[in-house]
mmCIF file of all heavy atoms in Angstrom:
data_model
loop_
_atom_site.group_PDB
_atom_site.id
_atom_site.type_symbol
_atom_site.label_atom_id
_atom_site.label_comp_id
_atom_site.label_asym_id
_atom_site.label_seq_id
_atom_site.Cartn_x
_atom_site.Cartn_y
_atom_site.Cartn_z
ATOM 1 N N TYR A 1127 -9.263 -35.211 -25.217
ATOM 2 C CA TYR A 1127 -10.433 -36.067 -25.551
ATOM 3 C C TYR A 1127 -10.534 -37.164 -24.537
ATOM 4 O O TYR A 1127 -9.528 -37.783 -24.131
ATOM 5 C CB TYR A 1127 -10.319 -36.594 -26.941
ATOM 6 C CG TYR A 1127 -10.577 -35.565 -28.033
ATOM 7 C CD1 TYR A 1127 -9.500 -34.677 -28.363
ATOM 8 C CD2 TYR A 1127 -11.778 -35.415 -28.652
ATOM 9 C CE1 TYR A 1127 -9.722 -33.710 -29.323
ATOM 10 C CE2 TYR A 1127 -11.984 -34.434 -29.632
ATOM 11 C CZ TYR A 1127 -10.970 -33.596 -29.961
ATOM 12 O OH TYR A 1127 -11.126 -32.618 -30.933
ATOM 13 N N ALA A 1128 -11.752 -37.389 -24.079
ATOM 14 C CA ALA A 1128 -12.048 -38.588 -23.260
ATOM 15 C C ALA A 1128 -12.510 -39.732 -24.180
ATOM 16 O O ALA A 1128 -13.408 -39.503 -24.975
ATOM 17 C CB ALA A 1128 -13.105 -38.241 -22.240
ATOM 18 N N SER A 1129 -11.917 -40.869 -24.033
ATOM 19 C CA SER A 1129 -12.256 -41.939 -24.935
ATOM 20 C C SER A 1129 -12.523 -43.239 -24.204
ATOM 21 O O SER A 1129 -11.972 -43.530 -23.134
ATOM 22 C CB SER A 1129 -11.079 -42.207 -25.905
ATOM 23 O OG SER A 1129 -10.733 -41.052 -26.643
ATOM 24 N N THR A 1130 -13.406 -44.052 -24.783
ATOM 25 C CA THR A 1130 -13.684 -45.376 -24.278
ATOM 26 C C THR A 1130 -14.196 -46.201 -25.508
ATOM 27 O O THR A 1130 -14.370 -45.685 -26.595
ATOM 28 C CB THR A 1130 -14.733 -45.399 -23.170
ATOM 29 O OG1 THR A 1130 -14.681 -46.672 -22.522
ATOM 30 C CG2 THR A 1130 -16.110 -45.062 -23.658
ATOM 31 N N TYR A 1131 -14.452 -47.471 -25.218
ATOM 32 C CA TYR A 1131 -14.927 -48.358 -26.254
ATOM 33 C C TYR A 1131 -16.348 -48.883 -25.938
ATOM 34 O O TYR A 1131 -16.713 -48.956 -24.807
ATOM 35 C CB TYR A 1131 -14.003 -49.568 -26.439
ATOM 36 C CG TYR A 1131 -12.590 -49.203 -26.835
ATOM 37 C CD1 TYR A 1131 -11.579 -49.001 -25.869
ATOM 38 C CD2 TYR A 1131 -12.250 -49.032 -28.170
ATOM 39 C CE1 TYR A 1131 -10.311 -48.665 -26.274
ATOM 40 C CE2 TYR A 1131 -10.961 -48.667 -28.563
ATOM 41 C CZ TYR A 1131 -9.993 -48.487 -27.600
ATOM 42 O OH TYR A 1131 -8.711 -48.137 -27.970
ATOM 43 N N HIS A 1132 -17.016 -49.234 -27.001
ATOM 44 C CA HIS A 1132 -18.342 -49.894 -26.821
ATOM 45 C C HIS A 1132 -18.260 -51.181 -27.587
ATOM 46 O O HIS A 1132 -17.947 -51.212 -28.795
ATOM 47 C CB HIS A 1132 -19.468 -49.024 -27.372
ATOM 48 C CG HIS A 1132 -20.756 -49.818 -27.452
ATOM 49 N ND1 HIS A 1132 -21.441 -50.237 -26.360
ATOM 50 C CD2 HIS A 1132 -21.449 -50.277 -28.559
ATOM 51 C CE1 HIS A 1132 -22.509 -50.909 -26.741
ATOM 52 N NE2 HIS A 1132 -22.540 -50.971 -28.048
ATOM 53 N N GLN A 1133 -18.588 -52.270 -26.936
ATOM 54 C CA GLN A 1133 -18.698 -53.566 -27.609
ATOM 55 C C GLN A 1133 -20.147 -54.007 -27.553
ATOM 56 O O GLN A 1133 -20.764 -54.066 -26.476
ATOM 57 C CB GLN A 1133 -17.804 -54.633 -26.951
ATOM 58 C CG GLN A 1133 -17.822 -55.963 -27.697
ATOM 59 C CD GLN A 1133 -16.811 -56.937 -27.156
ATOM 60 O OE1 GLN A 1133 -16.518 -56.957 -25.966
ATOM 61 N NE2 GLN A 1133 -16.228 -57.746 -28.057
ATOM 62 N N GLY A 1134 -20.643 -54.359 -28.695
ATOM 63 C CA GLY A 1134 -22.050 -54.801 -28.748
ATOM 64 C C GLY A 1134 -22.761 -54.107 -29.896
ATOM 65 O O GLY A 1134 -22.199 -53.429 -30.732
ATOM 66 N N SER A 1135 -24.072 -54.310 -29.956
ATOM 67 C CA SER A 1135 -24.888 -53.719 -31.020
ATOM 68 C C SER A 1135 -25.048 -52.224 -30.836
ATOM 69 O O SER A 1135 -24.771 -51.666 -29.756
ATOM 70 C CB SER A 1135 -26.291 -54.354 -31.021
ATOM 71 O OG SER A 1135 -26.990 -53.979 -29.894
ATOM 72 N N TYR A 1136 -25.459 -51.545 -31.879
ATOM 73 C CA TYR A 1136 -25.613 -50.084 -31.862
ATOM 74 C C TYR A 1136 -26.731 -49.703 -30.887
ATOM 75 O O TYR A 1136 -26.762 -48.597 -30.362
ATOM 76 C CB TYR A 1136 -25.879 -49.569 -33.226
ATOM 77 C CG TYR A 1136 -24.766 -49.832 -34.230
ATOM 78 C CD1 TYR A 1136 -25.043 -50.190 -35.514
ATOM 79 C CD2 TYR A 1136 -23.431 -49.722 -33.836
ATOM 80 C CE1 TYR A 1136 -23.976 -50.442 -36.430
ATOM 81 C CE2 TYR A 1136 -22.384 -49.939 -34.758
ATOM 82 C CZ TYR A 1136 -22.694 -50.298 -36.010
ATOM 83 O OH TYR A 1136 -21.667 -50.546 -36.889
ATOM 84 N N GLU A 1137 -27.660 -50.634 -30.673
ATOM 85 C CA GLU A 1137 -28.815 -50.330 -29.835
ATOM 86 C C GLU A 1137 -28.386 -50.078 -28.362
ATOM 87 O O GLU A 1137 -29.099 -49.425 -27.586
ATOM 88 C CB GLU A 1137 -29.843 -51.456 -29.866
ATOM 89 C CG GLU A 1137 -30.621 -51.542 -31.168
ATOM 90 C CD GLU A 1137 -29.821 -52.083 -32.332
ATOM 91 O OE1 GLU A 1137 -28.782 -52.707 -32.050
ATOM 92 O OE2 GLU A 1137 -30.205 -51.837 -33.478
ATOM 93 N N THR A 1138 -27.231 -50.602 -27.979
ATOM 94 C CA THR A 1138 -26.772 -50.466 -26.591
ATOM 95 C C THR A 1138 -25.631 -49.413 -26.470
ATOM 96 O O THR A 1138 -24.961 -49.382 -25.425
ATOM 97 C CB THR A 1138 -26.289 -51.823 -26.025
ATOM 98 O OG1 THR A 1138 -25.251 -52.347 -26.829
ATOM 99 C CG2 THR A 1138 -27.435 -52.781 -25.995
ATOM 100 N N MET A 1139 -25.457 -48.593 -27.467
ATOM 101 C CA MET A 1139 -24.409 -47.620 -27.455
ATOM 102 C C MET A 1139 -24.528 -46.652 -26.297
ATOM 103 O O MET A 1139 -23.554 -46.129 -25.753
ATOM 104 C CB MET A 1139 -24.360 -46.781 -28.758
ATOM 105 C CG MET A 1139 -23.742 -47.493 -29.916
ATOM 106 S SD MET A 1139 -21.936 -47.469 -29.840
ATOM 107 C CE MET A 1139 -21.661 -45.716 -30.082
ATOM 108 N N TYR A 1140 -25.755 -46.414 -25.881
ATOM 109 C CA TYR A 1140 -26.023 -45.475 -24.804
ATOM 110 C C TYR A 1140 -25.290 -45.778 -23.506
ATOM 111 O O TYR A 1140 -24.958 -44.941 -22.702
ATOM 112 C CB TYR A 1140 -27.548 -45.287 -24.562
ATOM 113 C CG TYR A 1140 -28.181 -46.474 -23.893
ATOM 114 C CD1 TYR A 1140 -28.301 -46.526 -22.509
ATOM 115 C CD2 TYR A 1140 -28.632 -47.539 -24.645
ATOM 116 C CE1 TYR A 1140 -28.909 -47.612 -21.912
ATOM 117 C CE2 TYR A 1140 -29.238 -48.635 -24.071
ATOM 118 C CZ TYR A 1140 -29.341 -48.669 -22.678
ATOM 119 O OH TYR A 1140 -29.958 -49.764 -22.066
ATOM 120 N N LEU A 1141 -25.102 -47.080 -23.280
ATOM 121 C CA LEU A 1141 -24.393 -47.508 -22.069
ATOM 122 C C LEU A 1141 -22.974 -46.992 -22.044
ATOM 123 O O LEU A 1141 -22.482 -46.540 -20.991
ATOM 124 C CB LEU A 1141 -24.412 -49.069 -21.993
ATOM 125 C CG LEU A 1141 -25.788 -49.721 -21.873
ATOM 126 C CD1 LEU A 1141 -25.652 -51.241 -21.963
ATOM 127 C CD2 LEU A 1141 -26.475 -49.340 -20.541
#
Side-chain angles (χ1 to χ4, degrees):
Y1127 288 79
S1129 302
T1130 194
Y1131 297 94
H1132 169 68
Q1133 184 173 34
S1135 69
Y1136 299 140
E1137 287 74 20
T1138 58
M1139 281 284 292
Y1140 70 94
L1141 296 173

